[in-house]
Amino acid sequence: LGAMSQPAPELPPSNPAAASSLQRMARIVVALAVLTALVAIAFAGGAAGAFAQAQPADCARLAGLTFEGNTSITAATAVTGGTLTVSPTVSLTNLPPFCRVQGIIEKEIGFELWLPTAQEWNGKFLAGGVGGDAGTYNYADLPRGVDRGYAAATTDTGHKAADLNWMLGDAMRLPNFEYRAHHLLAVKSKQIMGDFYRNKLQHAYFV
């Protein structure tokens, strides 16, 4: 028997108005997707470049400044990187460029604050504690912090390790050692950072 021919299926009648509407909707969806992507890229680029675009005050200008709470900056030195001798027995190597700020809080709480360049600052603050009876600076975490883009600070907590009788003679030395010095270090460092970077601090840490 010969194969019986089947009639071809009928196609639905075309609807030019519906097709045109679908094309317009497709174009709108594509345009919105492109606009969303451009906005996301612009926002991400602006957030990432916020600190890089900051123009900090010249490092040397910080020297001699005073801040609320009887805080004074005794030295502000632009370190170009490489090696820095911080004491007769301690030299630090492989350092990035930064601004080394040295100062006094109240009458005897010594501190150092190392400020990366505006381009390298990650928007964060790192305070390094000291062990034992303190009386010295944390020159281990300062380089680690600034090398990773942190503004890093440390304090001797208000006395020198060489003074074996440091708790005598001033009733504030013990509370300074116990908690006040590190609190004041954070407060004053943030004030100095605000003056230097002219940009908002994002996060603060203590190690």
Side-chain angles (χ1 to χ4, degrees):
L1 296 175
M4 297 179 63
S5 61
Q6 300 291 331
E10 294 185 1
L11 296 175
S14 61
N15 188 335
S20 177
S21 177
L22 289 174
Q23 290 175 351
R24 286 196 300 270
M25 290 179 64
R27 287 195 293 268
I28 291 173
V29 170
V30 171
L32 288 174
V34 171
L35 180 61
T36 301
L38 291 174
V39 171
I41 292 172
F43 178 81
F51 301 116
Q53 295 170 2
Q55 297 297 323
D58 180 65
C59 178
R61 187 186 66 80
L62 296 176
L65 292 182
T66 58
F67 293 84
E68 181 182 359
N70 194 21
T71 300
S72 60
I73 295 176
T74 58
T77 308
V79 178
T80 57
T83 300
L84 175 67
T85 299
V86 294
S87 77
T89 59
V90 178
S91 292
L92 306 173
T93 59
N94 299 318
L95 296 172
F98 66 94
C99 177
R100 182 189 185 190
V101 177
Q102 298 164 276
I104 300 291
I105 302 171
E106 295 181 344
K107 66 178 183 179
E108 59 183 359
I109 301 174
F111 74 95
E112 287 203 26
L113 172 62
W114 291 12
L115 301 167
T117 63
Q119 290 74 19
E120 297 300 325
W121 185 45
N122 61 13
K124 301 174 184 178
F125 170 67
L126 179 71
V130 288
D133 291 336
T136 187
Y137 295 125
N138 184 342
Y139 285 124
D141 287 314
L142 282 180
R144 292 172 186 159
V146 76
D147 190 53
R148 291 165 172 79
Y150 291 84
T154 182
T155 175
D156 60 10
T157 71
H159 65 275
K160 303 303 180 186
D163 182 4
L164 300 181
N165 300 312
W166 60 269
M167 274 190 282
L168 302 178
D170 192 327
M172 288 305 300
R173 287 182 177 173
L174 185 57
N176 286 345
F177 164 72
E178 291 177 327
Y179 63 92
R180 287 189 76 252
H182 284 108
H183 167 70
L184 293 173
L185 172 69
V187 172
K188 304 310 175 184
S189 294
K190 291 173 185 178
Q191 291 178 351
I192 298 169
M193 291 163 60
D195 186 278
F196 187 75
Y197 291 116
R198 311 295 174 87
N199 244 325
K200 186 177 180 180
L201 176 69
Q202 302 298 307
H203 299 285
Y205 305 93
F206 178 83
V207 295

